Amino acid sequence: MDGTVNGSLNMIGYGLAAIGPGIGIGLIFAAYINGVARQPEARGTLQTIAFLGFALAEALAIIGIGLAFVLN
Amino acid sequence: MTTTGQVPGAEGFTPPGPGDFNLPPVFGDSVLFAKPALLLVVSAVAVFGFFFVTSRRTALVPSKAQYVGEQGYGFIRNSVARDVIGSQHFLKFVPWLVATFFFILLNNLFGIIPLIQFPTFSRSSFAYGLAVLVWLLYNGIGIWKHGLLGYLRHVTMPAGITGPILVLIIPLEFFSTVLVRPVTLALRLFANMFAGHLLLILFTLGGEYLLLNSDKVLYNSVGVLTLILAVAISFLELLVQLIQAYVFTLLTAIYIQGALAEDH
């Protein structure tokens, strides 16, 4: 059985690179849910902070997908 | 039996790629005015029209339209502008933030509205243009508030840091605040819309191919499943589109707040 796989290694690299931000975003929202569960009245403040953290962690994944398409 | 590593039955299937985002011109043959540019104009007119109509005849007892408009306006005004920028300065920036949010939201929603189905910001140039506007805004506010040198000092020297570490901090802070911020702001919006739209095209085209162009019953049924998944992903995209419009507006507000903040 001789197998050939066509495709770009970039995408495998991007898949690996997305693990980090994935874990990070999970932790951010876990902390947000914890915070709201403990102190429901702080929801508004926590929401802003959670989405800020989410956006910053997500930036890493986005730089990854940008480079995965750009680098050849 | 030999396996070639390809997806079985996919010999005639060309997977969608970045090239699918290059749409033909709408009028004449100018590549500058293709479908995304048309959608951009349509969305600007639609957002203006929506807020013009809903705020034209305001009454103490609001009509349904006025209520919807005020809810949207109030959401950005209270939960983004006032909470982030602070009650002292926020009112000046509310129009900008409301316009940004609804403009981006509508442009993103174009990605899943039937018959339109193209998110404008999946072309990166539009996202970069928007980020340049935000960059000019927050840097302009900072320079207006602190003066040019004062603003550079405010940006590059975080309060409480002294000594030789500043040699390291100043270039890093300048790099992250002035150079990287607009790029990540634009890339975040662009990459989310791009990846989401690519995913939708892939599932729809793949499902259609498996359903219609395959002679095996198993593949046909997988095609049906794929098309159902495409609908499910549309709902996921709706969530992503809302979040991205919100995040863009939130980050704009945070950057404005950062430029306005006093050193302690």
Side-chain angles (χ1 to χ4, degrees):
Chain A
M1 224 165 78
D2 59 326
T4 55
V5 178
N6 296 323
S8 172
L9 262 181
N10 283 357
M11 291 305 151
I12 295 177
Y14 175 62
L16 292 175
I19 295 173
I23 294 172
I25 291 169
L27 288 175
I28 289 161
F29 279 104
Y32 168 58
I33 293 166
N34 258 323
V36 175
R38 283 166 192 247
Q39 215 165 342
E41 68 271 19
R43 185 185 199 126
T45 326
L46 290 180
Q47 192 173 35
T48 312
I49 302 170
F51 274 100
L52 175 67
F54 161 73
L56 294 179
E58 198 203 29
L60 299 173
I62 285 158
I63 291 168
I65 203 172
L67 293 180
F69 274 107
V70 168
L71 296 180
N72 278 317
Chain B
M1 193 182 125
T2 58
T3 52
T4 55
Q6 298 253 336
V7 181
E11 289 82 20
F13 179 66
T14 45
D20 286 321
F21 289 81
N22 298 325
L23 297 174
V26 180
F27 302 121
D29 47 34
S30 161
V31 281
L32 288 178
F33 201 81
K35 188 178 175 184
L38 180 68
L39 289 179
L40 201 76
V41 175
V42 168
S43 66
V45 172
V47 170
F48 172 77
F50 174 73
F51 281 106
F52 183 75
V53 167
T54 54
S55 65
R56 191 177 37 165
R57 274 196 297 271
T58 51
L60 193 60
V61 180
S63 64
K64 275 178 192 157
Q66 188 194 337
Y67 180 74
V68 172
E70 282 180 358
Q71 284 294 306
Y73 175 83
F75 166 65
I76 296 301
R77 178 189 184 275
N78 295 336
S79 83
V80 176
R82 195 178 58 192
D83 286 1
V84 173
I85 300 178
S87 51
Q88 202 187 346
H89 295 294
F90 79 101
L91 215 50
K92 291 193 280 289
F93 305 109
V94 171
W96 177 288
L97 294 172
V98 171
T100 309
F101 178 74
F102 286 97
F103 180 64
I104 296 175
L105 181 63
L106 185 61
N107 274 303
N108 290 352
L109 287 178
F110 280 155
I112 56 167
I113 292 176
L115 301 180
I116 300 176
Q117 280 168 320
F118 190 85
T120 316
F121 292 113
S122 61
R123 301 308 309 269
S124 60
S125 49
F126 295 106
Y128 282 123
L130 213 55
V132 165
L133 286 179
V134 173
W135 187 83
L136 287 176
L137 177 76
Y138 76 78
N139 284 319
I141 290 167
I143 291 168
W144 166 77
K145 174 92 178 174
H146 303 282
L148 183 59
L149 286 176
Y151 177 62
L152 279 177
R153 193 173 169 281
H154 174 72
V155 163
T156 55
M157 294 166 68
I161 293 178
T162 49
I165 193 74
L166 280 175
V167 180
L168 216 59
I169 291 287
I170 288 177
L172 268 179
E173 286 288 320
F174 183 81
F175 185 68
S176 92
T177 313
V178 180
L179 301 180
V180 173
R181 254 184 196 182
V183 177
T184 54
L185 192 64
L187 273 186
R188 177 176 300 112
L189 181 61
F190 155 68
N192 271 290
M193 291 306 111
F194 178 81
H197 193 58
L198 200 60
L199 204 62
L200 273 180
I201 308 178
L202 179 65
F203 270 80
T204 330
L205 288 183
E208 184 257 342
Y209 184 86
L210 283 174
L211 185 62
L212 300 178
N213 296 23
S214 181
D215 46 1
K216 295 199 183 76
V217 179
L218 179 65
Y219 293 163
N220 292 345
S221 53
V222 171
V224 174
L225 188 70
T226 312
L227 286 177
I228 293 172
L229 264 177
V231 176
I233 287 175
S234 299
F235 283 102
L236 179 72
E237 276 307 297
L238 178 66
L239 184 70
V240 171
Q241 287 160 355
L242 269 166
I243 287 180
Q244 287 313 314
Y246 177 71
V247 162
F248 194 98
T249 319
L250 183 70
L251 284 175
T252 307
I254 287 169
Y255 294 163
I256 292 172
Q257 189 270 335
L260 276 174
E262 299 287 347
D263 285 327
H264 294 292

